[in-house]
Amino acid sequence: MTDVWSFPSSFFWGTATSAYQIEGAWNEDGKGESIWDRFSHAPGRILDGSTGDVACDHYHRWQRDLDLMQELDVNAYRFSVAWSRVLPQGRGKINEPGLDFYDRLVDGLLSRGITPFVTLYHWDLPQALQEEGGWTNRRIAEDYVNYAEVVSRRLGDRVKHWITHNEPWVAAFLGHAMGIHAPGIQDFQQALAATHHLLLSHGWAVPVIRQHSPRAEVGITLNLHDVVPASPSYADANMARQIDGYFNRMFLDPIFGRHYPADMLVFFARQHDARMDMVQEGDLQAISAHIDFLGVNYYTRQVARDAAAADNLPPTINTAESEFTEMGWEVHPHSLHRLLNRLHFDYQPRQIYITENGAAFTDTITPDGRIHDERRLAYIKAHLQAAHAAIACGVPLAGYFVWSFMDNFEWSYGYSKRFGLYYVDFEDQKRLPKDSALWYRQVIAAGSVSPD
Ligand code: FCB
C-alpha cells in the first residue's frame, strides 16, 4: 500500500530562497541600491533593526551552499535575480559582473544535477526606478520587460523554468497600502496601480522570455489562501468572499482571462475610494497571456470574521488543538488540499508548483550539536501529505519547494524568524542541517511520504 503515497517520478523536489534575503553584498561589484536596501537602512522599519547588507553572505559562499543543496539531494532550486545587480539604475547599462554571478550560479546548479527555477522579481526594485514612482508608474512595465529580456537572453539557454513575479499581492499591498514592506507607502490607490502594473509587466514579459528561452516553462507565483468563514452566519460568509477576492481572485481572475473581479472593484471604490482607472485597452488581454504553470505559495488559511456581526460568536474557529508558527500563522495542511483542488477546478492551470511552503519555529542547538526541529518536520510532512492527496484528486501538481533552504532575512522581521532546513549562525555564517533537512533528504530519496 505504500505506493499510494508516492509522487510522480518527474516530480521536482526543491527548496527556495530570494536574492535580498540571502545574498548580502548589497553594494558590491557594481550592484545598485534597491528599495529593500533603502527601506532596511531607514531606522525603525525592521523589527530587530537589522538589514540584508550581509544576510547569509551567499554572494560569496554560493558554491558551498550549492554543495549543501546537492547533499540534500534536491533536484530543483528556486532563487531570484536582483534586478539592481544586473541593471544598477533599473534600465540602461548592464552590470556584467552582476549578470556573471547568476550565470555561474546556474552552471553550478546544473553541474550538480539541480534544475534552476528563476524568479525575476522578488520585491527588490532598483531604487532609481522607485524615484520615478516605481510600480505605480506605468513606465515600469516596459522597464521590467527590458530587464526580463536581459536576463533571459543571458540565461535562457540553460534556465527552463521562469517565474515572472513572486507574490504581487505582497509587493502591491504590503508595500503600498500597509506600508510595512518597501517602499513603505500607505495609499490604496497606489496599491491598485502597483497591482495593475505588476500584472501588466508579467503579461508583457511572458512572450519575451519564451523568445529568449526556447521550450521554457513560464509562470507566476501568487500567495494564495483557503478562506473559510468563522461561523455559518451570512455576515461571515460575505466576509469570506471579500477576503477571497482581495487575496486570490484579484490576481487569479485577470491572469486566467476573467478581468478584475467586479465585486472587488466596488469594494475598493467604496471602502478605500480607490479605482482601477489606470487600465488601458489591451492590458487585460496581455495579462492573460498563456502560462505554463501557476506557482503557489501556501503557508496558512484565512478565517473570515465580520467584525460588525453582532452575534457574539468567537472571532476565530481555532480549537484547543490549533497550532501556530512563530509568525502567528495557523498550521492547517487540510487547507492546502482544498486550495489546490479549488485552483484546479476553478482555473485549470496547466501545471501547479508549490513554490513555497514551510514554517518558522524557534530553533535550539542541543548538546548533541543537532537541531531537533520536530514541529517544522511535522509541518512539511503534513503539507506533503496534503499535496499528495491533491494529486490523487487529479491536480496537476509537478513540484514542491520548501521555504527555505536556509535561515535568512525575513523582511520586516529581520533575522528573528527562522524558516530554514539549514540553520545559519549569522555570527560566523556556519550552516547546520536541521533534523527536517535530514528527513527531507530521505523523503526525496524515497520519492514518497509516509502516511502517518
Ligand atoms: C513569502 C515570501 C518569502 C518568505 C516567506 C516566509 O511571502 O515570498 O520571501 O518571506 O513568505
Side-chain angles (χ1 to χ4, degrees):
M1 283 307 283
T2 47
D3 62 347
V4 177
W5 299 88
S6 292
F7 286 75
S9 58
S10 59
F11 201 72
F12 283 111
W13 297 95
T15 60
T17 63
S18 87
Y20 187 70
Q21 294 178 275
I22 65 163
E23 284 179 1
W26 75 283
N27 59 357
E28 284 182 44
D29 292 345
K31 179 180 166 294
E33 187 187 15
S34 81
I35 57 173
W36 269 94
D37 294 319
R38 179 67 63 97
F39 191 74
S40 69
H41 290 161
R45 295 295 204 174
I46 311 299
L47 188 69
D48 58 4
S50 63
T51 71
D53 290 3
V54 178
C56 307
D57 197 30
H58 174 75
Y59 186 75
H60 299 115
R61 297 168 193 262
W62 64 273
Q63 282 173 300
R64 181 73 193 112
D65 285 339
L66 297 200
D67 290 343
L68 292 180
M69 254 174 242
Q70 193 174 25
E71 282 167 29
L72 190 60
D73 223 12
V74 290
N75 61 6
Y77 172 49
R78 173 177 177 237
F79 64 94
S80 80
V81 173
W83 187 338
S84 70
R85 227 181 251 300
V86 175
L87 294 161
Q89 296 304 307
R91 68 172 82 92
K93 201 172 164 341
I94 297 172
N95 177 42
E96 292 298 338
L99 207 42
D100 290 346
F101 170 70
Y102 298 107
D103 202 276
R104 289 193 297 270
L105 190 65
V106 166
D107 284 344
L109 287 165
L110 293 172
S111 70
R112 289 170 179 81
I114 302 171
T115 300
F117 277 60
V118 174
T119 308
L120 283 166
Y121 188 71
H122 202 123
W123 309 346
D124 45 357
L125 187 72
Q127 180 64 30
L129 296 183
Q130 186 60 40
E131 308 294 333
E132 300 175 14
W135 290 107
T136 69
N137 178 350
R138 187 177 173 93
R139 159 129 203 217
I140 189 108
E142 286 167 37
D143 292 324
Y144 175 87
V145 173
N146 167 56
Y147 158 62
E149 178 163 17
V150 168
V151 179
S152 59
R153 207 192 296 132
R154 179 70 173 271
L155 306 180
D157 56 336
R158 288 152 292 154
V159 171
K160 295 299 170 192
H161 298 84
W162 296 92
I163 296 165
T164 54
H165 282 283
N166 178 67
E167 303 190 352
W169 180 88
V170 172
F173 288 92
L174 293 191
H176 299 79
M178 270 62 100
I180 57 175
H181 274 199
I185 295 167
Q186 294 183 330
D187 176 351
F188 269 87
Q189 185 57 52
Q190 293 195 47
L192 288 191
T195 297
H196 185 61
H197 298 139
L198 282 156
L199 289 174
L200 186 61
S201 73
H202 154 79
W204 280 352
V206 168
V208 174
I209 298 168
R210 285 215 181 95
Q211 188 190 333
H212 294 290
S213 188
R215 290 175 304 285
E217 292 183 7
V218 187
I220 186 169
T221 280
L222 303 179
N223 51 307
L224 297 169
H225 296 278
D226 176 36
V227 187
V228 293
S231 79
S233 74
Y234 291 121
D236 287 351
N238 280 339
M239 184 54 72
R241 178 155 182 87
Q242 188 175 301
I243 293 177
D244 179 60
Y246 184 44
F247 285 113
N248 301 330
R249 288 181 289 114
M250 195 61 192
F251 293 83
L252 287 165
D253 281 13
I255 288 169
F256 288 95
R258 300 183 194 170
H259 208 292
Y260 291 108
D263 59 334
M264 282 295 106
L265 300 186
V266 172
F267 165 81
F268 284 117
R270 281 205 190 137
Q271 305 274 319
H272 300 288
D273 197 23
R275 286 165 185 81
M276 301 233 49
D277 50 11
M278 71 301 291
V279 178
Q280 296 185 13
E281 190 158 356
D283 286 2
L284 283 148
Q285 201 183 342
I287 291 171
S288 65
H290 173 77
I291 49 173
D292 302 288
F293 64 86
L294 176 67
V296 176
N297 288 356
Y298 173 84
Y299 289 93
T300 189
R301 70 172 173 176
Q302 295 282 334
V303 176
R305 176 80 176 118
D306 185 347
D311 52 15
N312 291 323
L313 286 165
T316 67
I317 47 175
N318 302 324
T319 65
E321 296 86 61
S322 297
E323 191 193 355
F324 295 86
T325 71
E326 275 291 298
M327 299 293 282
W329 297 344
E330 185 189 3
V331 179
H332 207 269
H334 188 65
S335 280
L336 174 62
H337 181 243
R338 282 170 47 101
L339 173 66
L340 292 171
N341 277 300
R342 184 266 179 111
L343 293 170
H344 176 51
F345 293 116
D346 284 4
Y347 295 97
Q348 293 96 40
R350 216 170 97 198
Q351 291 181 98
I352 296 177
Y353 295 115
I354 297 173
T355 42
E356 286 181 30
N357 176 242
F361 288 113
T362 307
D363 292 312
T364 29
I365 303 178
T366 41
D368 60 357
R370 304 265 302 272
I371 294 165
H372 303 296
D373 60 336
E374 295 101 354
R375 295 178 75 193
R376 185 176 293 100
L377 189 160
Y379 179 101
I380 298 170
K381 184 176 183 181
H383 287 79
L384 277 173
Q385 290 169 341
H388 186 275
I391 295 175
C393 290
V395 174
L397 181 69
Y400 173 92
F401 295 75
V402 175
W403 184 271
S404 177
F405 167 62
M406 58 184 160
D407 298 335
N408 56 48
F409 179 82
E410 179 48 39
W411 308 112
S412 55
Y413 294 93
Y415 298 99
S416 66
K417 307 286 179 234
R418 292 180 177 272
F419 276 91
L421 291 171
Y422 281 80
Y423 181 89
V424 175
D425 182 331
F426 292 102
E427 294 294 314
D428 61 12
Q429 291 294 347
K430 288 220 173 77
R431 279 74 158 134
L432 182 66
K434 303 178 192 176
D435 282 2
S436 55
L438 305 173
W439 168 84
Y440 190 46
R441 186 167 190 261
Q442 289 171 9
V443 168
I444 296 170
S448 65
V449 65
S450 81
D452 42 59

